[in-house]
Amino acid sequence: MAIAWSAKASSMEALSLSPPMSPPVVLTQDELKRIAAYKAVEFVESGMVLGLGTGSTAKHAVDRIGELLRQGKLSNIVGIPTSKKTEEQALSLGIPLADLDSHPTIDLAIDGADEVDPHLNLVKGRGGSLLREKMVEGACKKFIVIVDESKLVKYVGGSGLAMPVEVVPIWWATTARKLQSLFEESGCVAKLRKDSKGEPFVTDNGNYVIDLYLKKEIGDLQVASDAMLRITGVVEHGMFLDMATTVIVAGELGITIKHK
């Protein structure tokens, strides 16, 4: 669902994708993701410790960082991946890797998002990497989010798609019932995520994911966050509140950069 954003709470700049008077260019969603990712990598400087995101949009950013390293345009980069998949990608590109124990403070993280509301609150984790993403991105000085305009929503959960919650496998059904009950007034339906074989999806951390589908707003997001985390069995949820410092949005009319 693409929407028009209010600029009241933050500064914005728009960059055209095409020269003035040029014919309109129709770009695919993947091309828009790549444009946003390449723009985000312009913020990367040699010597940085980088949080490397997970997902189809973040993949373009990691590819670009690897390319710039090979060209000698970047050097002395250390990456901290947010998933095993990103770790494999980064290693294949020759990006040196480390972890949070050795680098507890990260200069910059770049990642995608499943939803972005007008206040730059996010929903992430539909790829299943929400716990590691939140650990890495919560430790960074700057967190740049890269999306195409389809990810913009009026409120968290507004896409009608999944809001992921990572849970321990034992008695997951009880945890799911508690989560659904918590947001009953928002028309919440909680479902266990399945893999392509119909088995429970297992995260890199050995946990399950309960996907919450919401029909209405859930009210105060911080209150909702605290309530979910108080449920025994919940490991982490996919709401990333007040974490993004910059959001880069690629749309058919150009790039929009929104700063916190």
Side-chain angles (χ1 to χ4, degrees), residues 20-91:
M21 305 304 293
S22 62
V25 177
V26 179
L27 299 174
T28 67
Q29 187 177 37
D30 190 62
E31 287 170 333
L32 292 173
K33 291 177 179 179
R34 178 171 51 80
I35 290 167
Y38 277 39
K39 185 64 183 176
V41 174
E42 292 180 12
F43 290 83
V44 176
E45 299 176 2
S46 294
M48 280 186 167
V49 177
L50 299 176
L52 305 177
T54 297
S56 58
T57 308
K59 181 180 183 299
H60 288 301
V62 177
D63 282 341
R64 180 61 172 165
I65 291 166
E67 180 183 5
L68 294 175
L69 282 171
R70 288 194 304 273
Q71 295 173 351
K73 296 179 180 178
L74 285 176
S75 61
N76 196 28
I77 292 294
V78 176
I80 300 181
T82 55
S83 67
K84 292 179 180 178
K85 187 173 183 179
T86 299
E87 179 180 0
E88 293 171 358
Q89 179 194 4
L91 288 173

Side-chain angles (χ1 to χ4, degrees), residues 163 165 176-190 212-221 223-229 231 237 239:
M163 181 201 292
V165 182
R177 283 194 292 270
K178 290 180 178 179
L179 286 165
Q180 182 167 301
S181 177
L182 186 63
F183 301 117
E184 184 177 5
E185 293 184 0
S186 298
C188 178
V189 175
L212 306 183
Y213 297 88
L214 303 165
K215 294 182 179 179
K216 300 177 183 177
E217 294 186 61
I218 58 176
D220 188 307
L221 298 180
V223 170
S225 170
D226 293 344
M228 281 191 279
L229 294 176
I231 295 176
H237 59 73
M239 291 196 303

Side-chain angles (χ1 to χ4, degrees), residues 9-215:
S10 58
S11 60
M12 301 179 68
E13 58 178 297
L15 305 174
S16 175
L17 297 180
S18 305
M21 305 304 293
S22 62
V25 177
V26 179
L27 299 174
T28 67
Q29 187 177 37
D30 190 62
E31 287 170 333
L32 292 173
K33 291 177 179 179
R34 178 171 51 80
I35 290 167
Y38 277 39
K39 185 64 183 176
V41 174
E42 292 180 12
F43 290 83
V44 176
E45 299 176 2
S46 294
M48 280 186 167
V49 177
L50 299 176
L52 305 177
T54 297
S56 58
T57 308
K59 181 180 183 299
H60 288 301
V62 177
D63 282 341
R64 180 61 172 165
I65 291 166
E67 180 183 5
L68 294 175
L69 282 171
R70 288 194 304 273
Q71 295 173 351
K73 296 179 180 178
L74 285 176
S75 61
N76 196 28
I77 292 294
V78 176
I80 300 181
T82 55
S83 67
K84 292 179 180 178
K85 187 173 183 179
T86 299
E87 179 180 0
E88 293 171 358
Q89 179 194 4
L91 288 173
S92 73
L93 296 169
I95 300 175
L97 298 181
D99 57 35
L100 274 180
D101 288 339
S102 57
H103 294 278
T105 301
I106 299 171
D107 295 304
L108 173 68
I110 300 174
D111 205 352
D114 300 307
E115 292 184 3
V116 182
D117 81 359
H119 304 289
L120 307 193
N121 294 312
L122 317 173
V123 171
K124 292 176 49 58
R126 289 180 189 153
S129 301
L130 59 155
L131 176 58
R132 297 192 189 190
E133 288 173 340
K134 190 169 284 189
M135 291 179 73
V136 169
E137 289 148 13
C140 62
K141 297 176 184 176
K142 294 181 180 180
F143 176 25
I144 299 179
V145 178
I146 46 178
V147 295
D148 65 88
E149 61 186 356
S150 70
K151 302 302 191 295
L152 306 184
V153 295
K154 293 180 180 179
Y155 59 89
V156 165
S159 69
L161 302 176
M163 181 201 292
V165 182
E166 187 161 344
V167 304
V168 296
I170 187 171
W171 302 321
W172 65 264
T174 296
T175 307
R177 283 194 292 270
K178 290 180 178 179
L179 286 165
Q180 182 167 301
S181 177
L182 186 63
F183 301 117
E184 184 177 5
E185 293 184 0
S186 298
C188 178
V189 175
K191 296 182 179 180
L192 177 68
R193 184 178 299 185
K194 301 289 186 69
D195 62 19
S196 59
K197 298 179 181 179
E199 299 296 324
F201 173 89
V202 179
T203 71
D204 286 349
N205 316 301
N207 296 316
Y208 288 176
V209 173
I210 303 297
D211 286 324
L212 306 183
Y213 297 88
L214 303 165
K215 294 182 179 179

